[in-house]
Amino acid sequence: MIDNMFVIDATVHPYNVADDNLRKDGEFPNLHAFALREMLWGMHERFATKGSAIPRQAFCTDWPPELLARTLFTESDVDMAVNHRLRIDAVFEDGLCNGEKNRELAQRWPQRIVPYAGINPAAGIQECLRDLREQVAQIPGTIGIKIYPNAGSPDLSWRLDDPEFTPLFELAKELGIKIIALHKIVPNGLVPLGPFGIDDLETVAIRHIDLSFEIVHAGLPPFVEEVAMALMRLPNVYANLEITSAILAHGMGYVEEALAQMISLGGAEKIIYASGALHFHPQPVLEKMARLTFPDRTLERYGLEQITTEQRAAFLAGNYARIAGIDLQNAAEQIKNDEFAKARTQHGGNRPLWDNWRQMRPEQWTTTS
């Protein structure tokens, strides 16, 4: 908890950005794989808050699931987190965050981790259906699906409002899936921007009003107005602030204005906090969001009252808990005496930033970034 508010980090993932996970053209990394990894690293280097960046030699490795869990729950005030299996299959051998990591996190720490399956529409609808059934069977408690509009190559994009994919959403509902998290707005490296717009998401959300849809990376350019309008018009569409929140914590005023616009049009009940850990350390990002206030000029421009404690609590957990069906009082009870709670008590609070990484992989910390 932070400031007596329960925290659910709605998007986390232990990447594998090691050299041997980049797909190859002959003996060299594929151009698109190399470019996407450089983009991910560049975002960390550019937007990590002061004192929270890690060395490149640590970043460009395979991040263990246990490292993610221990960073979230002993170095930050996060109480629960949603792990996304990632399927950028055209450029990463394991899609960037594989199913085994998802399974380990969900099985070892079910009281802390909410698992999302990952689907790659480039594989075709029949493979998507088979894959989704298998993932849900392997990881009971899977309540969401993470989907990209592109597999990392300029030639592998799709529209989710294509009638071909209708059976995917119908099967999701049959299997108890409640939430579809759609990566939008931020292109996967050297790929066209077009597929990362939200018009196909809007159509699918209208067709499947009984599912909730997260626009992942909401609040970043160039689709701020479109996202704000979708939040206002569509009752089952929500703004997931992965990366957005990290850039907000870094101090970019544009993102602050975008968040105000989304709240003004869509309402505070449509905002879902996510840090994107371990892409960024969760604690500095969380601290910014937990104490969010807007300057007077922003309040006046968007016709807002100052953010309240109740609204912050909704951003940090209440809004996500509502759509995911999580009882926050029960969730707090489940974690109060677990291994992470005991470790925090023994340490007297949060461990220093990246302390677990330094201890688990000291050879990666011989230099600082």
Side-chain angles (χ1 to χ4, degrees):
M1 287 191 173
I2 187 169
D3 301 340
N4 294 315
M5 296 180 289
F6 196 87
V7 179
I8 301 175
D9 192 329
T11 307
V12 302
H13 24 49
Y15 288 162
N16 181 358
V17 282
D19 289 346
D20 61 7
N21 199 41
L22 305 183
R23 291 201 182 272
K24 306 293 192 297
D25 289 332
E27 60 181 300
F28 298 105
N30 172 277
L31 171 64
H32 302 292
F34 180 78
L36 180 50
R37 184 179 69 174
E38 291 306 296
M39 175 182 141
L40 294 171
W41 161 248
M43 294 177 76
H44 175 84
E45 187 178 40
R46 171 69 175 84
F47 295 118
T49 58
K50 185 176 181 180
S52 72
I54 66 174
R56 180 184 171 90
Q57 65 198 43
F59 187 93
C60 294
T61 61
D62 185 2
W63 307 347
E66 184 168 353
L67 174 61
L68 172 66
R70 296 199 175 280
T71 302
L72 284 166
F73 306 128
T74 70
E75 297 179 20
S76 88
D77 295 312
V78 172
D79 297 295
M80 294 179 65
V82 184
N83 188 68
H84 289 195
R85 182 182 179 183
L86 306 181
R87 301 296 301 275
I88 314 179
D89 294 352
V91 293
F92 294 110
E93 294 287 347
D94 73 350
L96 188 57
C97 180
N98 66 30
E100 184 54 42
K101 290 180 176 181
N102 201 25
R103 188 180 306 114
E104 179 179 342
L105 286 162
Q107 290 178 349
R108 290 183 66 180
W109 302 290
Q111 78 282 14
R112 295 275 187 169
I113 297 293
V114 177
Y116 278 18
I119 294 299
N120 176 17
I125 185 58
Q126 292 306 315
E127 175 59 20
C128 285
L129 299 178
R130 184 206 63 77
D131 193 11
L132 180 59
R133 288 191 185 97
E134 182 178 279
Q135 290 183 58
V136 173
Q138 290 176 345
I139 310 178
T142 297
I143 65 165
I145 305 173
K146 175 65 170 284
I147 306 177
Y148 286 86
N150 176 283
S153 164
D155 304 315
L156 288 174
S157 298
W158 48 84
R159 291 183 59 91
L160 288 176
D161 58 357
D162 186 325
E164 176 189 6
F165 296 113
T166 297
L168 175 62
F169 299 104
E170 297 301 335
L171 176 62
K173 288 179 275 190
E174 288 178 27
L175 295 175
I177 298 295
K178 300 176 181 179
I179 303 167
I180 312 295
L182 297 172
H183 174 114
K184 288 292 188 177
I185 302 164
V186 178
N188 293 327
L190 291 176
V191 297
L193 176 63
F196 295 84
I198 69 165
D199 55 326
D200 61 333
L201 179 153
E202 290 186 319
T203 303
V204 170
I206 293 167
R207 288 175 181 166
H208 302 281
I209 203 73
D210 45 351
L211 288 170
S212 295
F213 292 83
E214 298 176 55
I215 302 176
V216 180
H217 311 308
L220 295 179
F223 299 112
V224 172
E225 290 79 10
E226 291 88 340
V227 169
M229 287 294 293
L231 298 178
M232 180 179 71
R233 293 162 35 241
L234 305 176
N236 56 336
V237 172
Y238 298 83
N240 177 308
L241 301 186
E242 183 199 352
I243 296 185
T244 310
S245 59
I247 297 176
L248 179 69
H250 182 76
M252 183 176 284
Y254 179 94
V255 174
E256 180 182 83
E257 291 247 340
L259 181 55
Q261 184 175 357
M262 291 192 295
I263 294 171
S264 176
L265 291 179
E269 68 275 11
K270 290 297 196 76
I271 306 300
I272 292 175
Y273 170 72
S275 74
L278 295 169
H279 197 169
F280 301 94
H281 196 286
Q283 185 62 16
V285 180
L286 173 57
E287 288 176 358
K288 172 65 177 182
M289 199 69 190
R291 286 132 197 182
L292 176 69
T293 59
F294 291 126
D296 288 344
R297 67 180 184 279
T298 301
L299 296 175
E300 182 177 352
R301 181 174 185 180
Y302 293 100
L304 294 172
E305 299 293 330
Q306 189 57 266
I307 300 298
T308 66
T309 299
E310 292 75 18
Q311 288 173 328
R312 294 188 193 98
F315 300 158
L316 296 183
N319 292 339
Y320 183 81
R322 186 178 66 254
I323 65 173
I326 296 172
D327 181 323
L328 292 181
Q329 184 174 352
N330 181 63
E333 186 70 19
Q334 292 296 314
I335 67 173
K336 70 178 185 180
N337 291 313
D338 72 358
E339 64 181 282
F340 301 117
K342 291 175 181 177
R344 288 172 59 85
T345 298
Q346 184 177 16
H347 189 267
N350 291 342
R351 302 175 71 90
L353 303 191
W354 304 124
D355 191 52
N356 287 283
W357 201 326
R358 291 175 184 274
Q359 291 193 21
M360 292 173 68
R361 302 284 178 88
E363 73 281 0
Q364 297 173 359
W365 292 80
T366 57
T367 62
T368 58
S369 61

